[in-house]
């Protein structure tokens, strides 16, 4: 659940990206999650899964198996107890998830704000120009360019955040 929460933050970042880039109407139904998902969100989510499973510093499959074995040693089957430490851990994971999604989407959100300001300034100074007709393709093109440059940073953020999340999960099962 902890890893799933962290990986869903990438999907939330993609949702924010698509909202700001004007591509939110391209949502598709995802039967695996039984919900609508944005295209950038799905793309970032699958990048997160592939980074989690394939990149050498993470070794996600090994970390998850070792964490699963540790939980069976700490809590035998049928003796699980939900304590306040577990609730604090879930709160911390949700906080990390939100911070991660904002870190991934921040470059595009900043560029989108600059585009909105510049289009507002252009529309005010030159009222003959239809800002909606000019602004939408410019926003979509610049957003896609920024998204391409953001992908390497997203992979680095996943490599940094998932091992710390697994360590927190491991420490909380020992407590």
């Amino acid at each position: 659940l902890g890893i799933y929460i962290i990986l869903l933050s990438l999907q939330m970042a993609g949702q924010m990206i698509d909202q700001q880039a004007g591509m939110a109407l391209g949502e598709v139904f995802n039967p695996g999650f039984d919900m609508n998902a944005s295209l950038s969100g799905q793309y970032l989510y699958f990048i997160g899964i592939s980074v989690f499973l394939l990149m050498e510093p993470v070794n996600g499959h090994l970390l998850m198996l070792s964490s699963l074995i540790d939980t069976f040693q700490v809590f035998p089957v049928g003796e699980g107890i939900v304590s306040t430490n577990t609730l604090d851990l879930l709160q911390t994971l949700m906080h990390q998830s939100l911070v991660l999604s904002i870190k991934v989407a921040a470059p595009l959100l900043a560029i989108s704000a600059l585009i909105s300001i510049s289009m507002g300034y252009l529309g005010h100074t030159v009222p003959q120009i239809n800002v909606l007709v000019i602004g939408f393709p410019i926003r979509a093109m610049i957003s896609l360019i920024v998204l391409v440059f953001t992908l390497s940073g997203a992979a680095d953020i996943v490599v940094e955040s998932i091992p710390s999340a697994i360590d927190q999960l491991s420490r909380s099962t020992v407590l």
Side-chain angles (χ1 to χ4, degrees):
L1 178 66
I3 300 303
Y4 181 67
I5 289 173
I6 296 294
L7 288 176
L8 277 183
S9 68
L10 293 174
Q11 192 168 8
M12 188 168 65
Q15 189 85 20
M16 286 191 286
I17 287 170
D18 281 349
Q19 287 289 329
Q20 290 299 314
M23 295 181 284
L25 292 176
E27 288 187 352
V28 294
F29 181 71
N30 185 355
F33 296 128
D34 196 28
M35 65 181 207
N36 289 340
S38 66
L39 296 175
S40 298
Q42 285 294 101
Y43 187 66
L44 287 172
Y45 178 74
F46 289 134
I47 284 177
I49 288 176
S50 62
V51 164
F52 174 67
L53 292 175
L54 299 176
M55 288 198 70
E56 187 60 36
V58 178
N59 284 334
H61 59 290
L62 298 176
L63 285 174
M64 278 190 71
L65 287 176
S66 67
S67 298
L68 186 64
I69 291 170
D70 290 343
T71 58
F72 283 122
Q73 291 174 353
V74 173
F75 293 123
V77 176
E79 295 183 20
I81 299 172
V82 178
S83 64
T84 58
N85 292 336
T86 306
L87 297 176
D88 290 339
L89 173 71
L90 288 176
Q91 179 184 4
T92 304
L93 284 174
M94 290 301 291
H95 178 264
Q96 284 180 347
S97 175
L98 181 63
V99 168
L100 178 68
S101 65
I102 291 174
K103 278 183 183 179
V104 172
L108 195 120
L109 295 176
I111 294 295
S112 180
L114 289 176
I115 291 171
S116 296
I117 290 171
S118 63
M119 287 297 142
Y121 181 72
L122 181 67
H124 184 70
T125 56
V126 185
Q128 293 85 6
I129 295 177
N130 190 353
V131 178
L132 291 176
V133 172
I134 292 173
F136 185 74
I138 289 173
R139 180 183 297 265
M141 181 181 65
I142 291 175
S143 297
L144 287 175
I145 291 169
V146 172
L147 181 62
V148 166
F149 289 120
T150 304
L151 293 179
S152 64
D156 291 338
I157 290 172
V158 169
V159 167
E160 292 172 4
S161 64
I162 287 183
S164 66
I166 290 178
D167 287 342
Q168 284 182 347
L169 290 170
S170 298
R171 278 188 274 128
S172 72
T173 57
V174 171
L175 298 173

